[in-house]
Amino acid sequence: METADFVRTLDREGQLLAAAAEEAGSEAEVPTCPDWQVRDLLRHTGMVHRWAAAFVAERHTCAHPDGGLPDLDGAALLAWFREGHRHLVGTLAGAPADVQCWQFLPAPSPLAFWARRQAHETTVHRFDAETARGGTPSGIDPDFAADGIDELLLAFHARRRSRVRSAEPRVLRVRATDTDGAVWTVRLSQEPPVAVRGDAAGADCEISGRVAQLYVALWNRLPFPHVTGDAAVARLWRENSAVTWS
């Protein structure tokens, strides 16, 4: 996907998130994020949007602290969220392709990184907001979902900070049943997971389903659609793969 595609997705997903949050109300529980209410979701995602925009707008070349969570609620919190989302979209859409700033995952450029990361960040939290509202969540484009699984498996969990470790070597397969070529092999060991696209080795456990289902399930928002083989490997992922802010 091109950077412009990610920015358009970010724009749409942020608007959907705000609409769902407004309909649900700030006190609504978020089923996919235990202990969170909608106000927590808006504060967190709005903070992340401003934090991300600052790297691109202010050209920070090293890690920079976030601005903290606002002491806002209700209509004021929604307005604050929408303002920060518009600022992020505008910043990314208007930045030069060669802008130089800090990034924390591999990408063709800093701008490509931030557009991709914030599109996925916002999509996952839009899903959270829609589960709080109730009803059927909006769909997720299969190509975008496959890209998000790439980012999670090949980038996030390739970092030293990944807690998905196994005392004995194990192999997890992730297979989309509705998208050609959307198959991943993840080798688990005492080191960070090593993931590649394709059927690279025999698997101890396979997680399969529609790619959009796999996307939200691997982000621990829903149960895995279908598990075959050693279910302990799937539980290992589920229990240790959460990506936290701090």
Side-chain angles (χ1 to χ4, degrees), residues 102-116:
W102 180 77
Q103 64 191 74
F104 62 87
L105 297 177
S109 70
L111 183 60
F113 163 76
W114 285 109
R116 180 196 203 194

Side-chain angles (χ1 to χ4, degrees), residues 35-57:
D35 302 325
W36 267 17
Q37 295 176 304
V38 165
R39 61 169 61 91
D40 302 302
L41 180 63
L42 288 171
R43 289 167 179 167
H44 167 78
T45 312
M47 173 272 290
V48 172
H49 284 172
R50 284 166 166 76
W51 175 77
F55 284 102
V56 179

Side-chain angles (χ1 to χ4, degrees), residues 88-170:
L88 174 60
V89 170
T91 296
L92 294 173
D98 61 352
V99 63
Q100 294 300 305
C101 61
W102 180 77
Q103 64 191 74
F104 62 87
L105 297 177
S109 70
L111 183 60
F113 163 76
W114 285 109
R116 180 196 203 194
R117 176 80 291 277
Q118 290 309 300
H120 288 296
E121 173 86 10
T122 306
T123 298
V124 171
H125 288 315
R126 180 272 295 168
F127 185 86
D128 293 330
E130 291 183 343
T131 63
R133 178 200 63 193
T136 302
S138 304
I140 299 172
D141 176 79
D143 289 340
F144 180 76
D147 179 81
I149 296 173
D150 271 345
E151 186 199 44
L152 182 65
L153 298 182
L154 279 64
F156 262 108
H157 284 287
R159 299 183 299 167
R160 296 298 308 176
R161 66 187 298 175
S162 174
R163 297 183 297 106
V164 183
R165 308 294 175 99
S166 175
E168 299 296 329
R170 309 292 278 166

